[in-house]
Amino acid sequence: MRNTIKIIIFAFVISAFGANTFAQKTMNEDFRKTAPAPLAPKQFDIPKPFETVLPNGLKVVVFEDKRLPLVSYRLAFKTGEINDPNGSTGLTSALTTMLNEGTKTRSSKQLAEEIERLGASISASASEDNTIIAASALSLYSSDVFRLMADIVLNPSFPENELALYKKNTIEGLKYQRSQPAFLADEQISKIIYGTHPYSIASASAADVEKITREKLIAFHDKMFTANNATLIVVGDVNRDSLLKEIKDNFGNWKKGTVETMKFSTPPVRTATTLTVVDRPGSLQSNIVLANLAIDRSSPDYFPVLVMNKILGDGGSARLFMNLREAKGYTYGAYSRFDTKRLAGNFQATAEVRTPVTGDSLKEFFYELNRIRDEKVSEKELRDAKSFLMGVFPLRAETQEGLTNLLVSQQLYDLPADYLQTYRDKVNAITLEDIERVAKKYIAPDKIAIVVVGDAEEILKQVKPYSTKIEVFDTEGKAVDASSYGKASSGAAANVNGKWNLVVDFQGQQLPVTLMLKQDGEKVSGSLDSMMGKGDIADAKVSSNKFTAIAKSQIQGQSVDLNISGTVDGTSMKGTITIPMPGAPPLSFTGTKAKE
């Protein structure tokens, strides 16, 4: 039947287009299999911005761009979260968030209304190295934006009621953060790679947030927000002379300060491959991160590293992606990157894979990390990587915001004055030998730190061959005895027969869930009842004191399998409920067995 249909379609095409036309179309198919040759590179010239320094030490960078009646503003400080005082982790983050919550003359509501009236945006953020106040608006409102920025930066009031709300919201956010495997992996990698250096701190704790006071914010603001510690970058439809007058009017009286040079410890030297597992019982996937120390942002090897990483793991056509996703089907994506900071940096290779292929995925990671060190990349790979990087760079500078961000990075990381103008030339100069050299120098499979976030019971047996030094932590960051995993069940199965009243923690809310369980030896059946809906318990069992089950339920009309994993202790149970959906965090629960 299928062959008959094909013949009919073939005959129809012949009759409709004519034999010669059809033959020509068939011949053209060969051309579609060959990618067209790349276009010749277009000339890309970007002028250097105007720079000056005010008497109070404020550096000003102006880039006039008349294409659109818009202006982007950045007030940037070369101090960030690593500059938090000892015992005050999270203070920089709190300060930047609180800047928009009121000044000496405006409440947070008044600020928001005035910014909205202008159709503008003003925000503040902090990273490990830097703090940035960002704004954008029509050039018509440049004077108003400067006035508001100056008020926010120079006269914040840090109201007690807004601070209390910030602390409450932040603490709740930290609880959610701990349900995210990406954060748990980053927390461990940061500690392992950076030791006692401030880069090792992935986040403030709830206790850190509780210690933040209005008095600490005021004192820290006065110390860090000084004119000679700041650079003001303005890009857009401006006139330089009138702009400089506006800047002097609003920031000219800003006082200088003493810019303290803080001394930090040196990240530890690694001598062996280590393995760290963060246990998330019942997790259906493993988050894998492999990392080692690499380059800081000012390294002369930045450009060869950039090109090398494009070949290894930067994007959907890179080696890691093509291997772990396309060839093996272990993951939706596998990538690598170099996290280049001001004082140090690290290499990372990452993927989220199905739990059963965790060990196989590590095998492929090490294969690719060793291959790029031991074998020269092909001429085509080098040519394609350079072509992409040189082609995409002008696109990054094409938009006003993109150009602004490039100028901000140039200023904050003290990059050469001709950095933007010579970027493509430096990429184009990279050779096969450069790639081999930096791969051997900055990727260290024999000294790498492996972190895997997932179900330790399932993954430890797969990953043990990769290191003799293994540590296990729970999701709260507390050490767990690694020898407690992988043991055969001992003793009789726990008794879970009956009614269980669970309380599930969902973003700070306590949701009741009822399990009705019927036990026959190690096999269990039953039902689940919650405010979200009901479900049938299937594929459930008890092994020693471990209870696992799948509850087939309905959520908003969609069939969903809820994975339940718990530890039973007499009439108590605790564990997690996981929805097998991308990005869905496991929900922790505690529960007790109802009296019969």
Side-chain angles (χ1 to χ4, degrees):
M1 180 65 181
R2 290 183 178 175
N3 288 337
T4 302
I5 293 173
K6 288 182 179 179
I7 291 170
I8 292 172
I9 293 173
F10 187 84
F12 172 77
V13 172
I14 292 290
S15 63
F17 296 100
N20 291 336
T21 303
F22 183 76
Q24 185 64 43
K25 281 178 64 67
T26 305
M27 290 172 58
N28 287 341
E29 295 295 332
D30 292 333
F31 293 99
R32 295 178 188 173
K33 295 177 183 177
T34 304
L39 297 174
K42 290 186 176 181
Q43 187 72 20
F44 174 67
D45 295 316
I46 181 170
K48 293 181 180 179
F50 167 81
E51 296 185 12
T52 189
V53 178
L54 300 189
N56 61 0
L58 174 64
K59 186 176 183 180
V60 177
V61 179
V62 181
F63 190 99
E64 297 184 51
D65 181 3
K66 305 288 186 178
R67 291 176 298 174
L68 294 171
L70 299 172
V71 185
S72 294
Y73 314 81
R74 298 291 188 275
L75 186 60
F77 300 83
K78 292 181 183 178
T79 48
E81 292 165 343
I82 64 170
N83 300 99
D84 285 342
N86 289 334
S88 294
T89 300
L91 195 60
T92 298
S93 181
L95 189 153
T96 54
T97 303
M98 289 291 295
L99 285 178
N100 272 29
E101 300 303 332
T103 70
K104 295 174 182 177
T105 58
R106 295 177 175 86
S107 66
S108 60
K109 181 181 178 182
Q110 288 172 325
L111 275 174
E113 288 175 345
E114 193 161 352
I115 293 170
E116 183 178 7
R117 179 181 62 81
L118 298 174
S121 67
I122 300 179
S123 61
S125 62
S127 63
E128 291 166 307
D129 289 326
N130 308 305
T131 301
I132 297 175
I133 290 81
S136 64
L138 291 170
S139 53
L140 177 66
Y141 301 118
S142 184
S143 298
D144 299 287
V145 170
F146 272 132
R147 179 170 44 82
L148 288 171
M149 285 184 70
D151 196 25
I152 289 169
V153 171
L154 304 181
N155 305 307
S157 59
F158 306 116
E160 290 284 7
N161 62 324
E162 298 289 356
L163 177 58
L165 182 61
Y166 165 80
K167 291 163 71 171
K168 179 181 178 181
N169 290 338
T170 301
I171 290 171
E172 288 302 318
L174 293 176
K175 294 178 183 177
Y176 174 74
Q177 188 172 250
R178 292 218 152 266
S179 70
Q180 302 301 298
F183 169 78
L184 298 175
D186 182 56
E187 179 180 54
Q188 291 297 331
I189 282 293
S190 298
K191 290 178 181 178
I192 295 166
I193 297 298
Y194 292 110
T196 58
H197 191 284
Y199 285 153
S200 66
I201 302 172
S203 172
S205 66
D208 293 325
V209 176
E210 288 286 10
K211 290 191 294 185
I212 296 172
T213 65
R214 182 173 182 270
E215 289 70 28
K216 287 183 178 180
L217 289 171
I218 292 172
F220 192 56
H221 170 267
D222 291 345
K223 177 182 177 181
M224 304 304 269
F225 276 36
T226 59
N228 52 321
N229 188 36
T231 301
L232 178 60
I233 299 105
V234 182
V235 179
D237 183 18
V238 295
N239 175 273
R240 184 199 305 173
D241 294 335
S242 59
L243 177 71
L244 289 174
K245 183 179 183 305
E246 292 276 4
I247 294 172
K248 291 174 183 176
D249 289 344
N250 286 280
F251 295 100
N253 293 327
W254 192 3
K255 294 181 180 179
K256 283 186 177 182
T258 301
V259 180
E260 181 182 357
T261 302
M262 300 183 71
K263 294 183 179 180
F264 304 114
S265 59
T266 303
V269 176
R270 296 185 56 79
T271 58
T273 297
T274 59
L275 174 63
T276 302
V277 175
V278 181
D279 186 20
R280 292 173 79 232
S283 180
L284 299 178
Q285 68 178 23
S286 299
N287 281 55
I288 299 174
V289 181
L290 299 93
N292 58 247
L293 275 174
I295 64 172
D296 60 41
R297 184 59 184 84
S298 61
S299 169
D301 281 333
Y302 178 79
F303 284 99
V305 161
L306 191 70
V307 178
M308 182 270 291
N309 189 60
K310 186 65 192 171
I311 297 169
L312 174 63
D314 181 13
S317 61
R319 289 181 173 185
L320 288 173
F321 191 96
M322 296 302 292
N323 183 335
L324 277 84
R325 171 175 169 146
E326 296 299 318
K328 300 297 189 300
Y330 293 159
T331 177
Y332 285 113
Y335 307 95
S336 64
R337 70 186 184 104
F338 282 80
D339 184 10
T340 55
K341 312 174 197 289
R342 179 177 290 121
L343 304 178
N346 65 82
F347 163 76
Q348 289 189 14
T350 63
E352 298 176 2
V353 306
R354 292 177 287 114
T355 298
V357 298
T358 305
D360 292 333
S361 298
L362 278 178
K363 178 182 177 182
E364 298 307 321
F365 267 117
F366 277 99
Y367 169 74
E368 294 297 352
L369 298 187
N370 282 302
R371 182 161 74 104
I372 200 162
R373 285 167 46 90
D374 299 337
E375 303 173 13
K376 273 191 170 69
V377 302
S378 69
E379 289 278 5
K380 182 179 185 304
E381 286 179 306
L382 177 61
R383 184 171 60 251
D384 289 349
K386 294 198 296 187
S387 178
F388 178 88
L389 291 169
M390 290 188 296
V392 80
F393 182 73
L395 298 180
R396 292 171 58 195
E398 183 67 23
T399 66
Q400 189 178 101
E401 283 294 297
L403 176 58
T404 303
N405 291 334
L406 288 172
L407 290 170
V408 170
S409 294
Q410 183 179 10
Q411 293 295 325
L412 288 176
Y413 291 103
D414 298 317
L415 302 179
D418 63 350
Y419 173 75
L420 301 182
Q421 290 73 27
T422 61
Y423 180 98
R424 297 205 299 177
D425 292 336
K426 289 179 179 177
V427 168
N428 196 40
I430 304 305
T431 66
L432 293 174
E433 290 71 26
D434 291 328
I435 300 298
E436 183 179 30
R437 176 180 62 81
V438 295
K440 289 181 180 295
K441 187 174 181 180
Y442 300 116
I443 298 177
D446 59 332
K447 302 181 186 68
I448 210 155
I450 308 169
V451 172
V452 185
V453 181
D455 189 336
E457 192 69 47
E458 296 296 324
I459 63 178
L460 270 171
K461 53 193 174 187
Q462 301 180 52
V463 300
K464 279 183 178 179
Y466 291 94
S467 177
T468 57
K469 183 179 180 182
I470 300 175
E471 293 182 304
V472 182
F473 294 86
D474 64 16
T475 56
E476 296 300 318
K478 297 177 182 176
V480 180
D481 183 3
S483 66
S484 64
Y485 297 93
K487 295 180 178 179
S489 308
S490 60
N495 179 15
V496 299
N497 193 68
K499 179 181 179 181
W500 289 82
N501 297 312
L502 310 182
V503 177
V504 177
D505 186 1
F506 178 68
Q507 295 185 1
Q509 300 183 51
Q510 306 299 305
L511 305 180
V513 174
T514 301
L515 298 181
M516 293 295 298
L517 304 179
K518 184 177 181 180
Q519 184 173 358
D520 182 8
E522 290 190 348
K523 294 182 178 180
V524 180
S525 60
S527 62
L528 172 147
D529 191 1
S530 73
M531 61 187 297
M532 299 291 290
K534 298 184 178 183
D536 296 323
I537 299 288
D539 298 325
K541 65 179 181 179
V542 179
S543 179
S544 185
N545 67 334
K546 304 291 185 182
F547 170 68
T548 58
I550 296 176
K552 297 186 177 295
S553 184
Q554 294 275 331
I555 296 179
Q556 295 182 347
Q558 299 289 325
S559 296
V560 177
D561 289 348
L562 305 177
N563 293 274
I564 305 172
S565 177
T567 302
V568 181
D569 183 8
T571 59
S572 299
M573 187 191 306
K574 65 177 181 179
T576 59
I577 298 177
T578 306
I579 304 173
M581 302 174 74
L587 306 176
S588 300
F589 73 79
T590 56
T592 57
K593 187 177 180 180
K595 294 182 179 180
E596 298 181 0

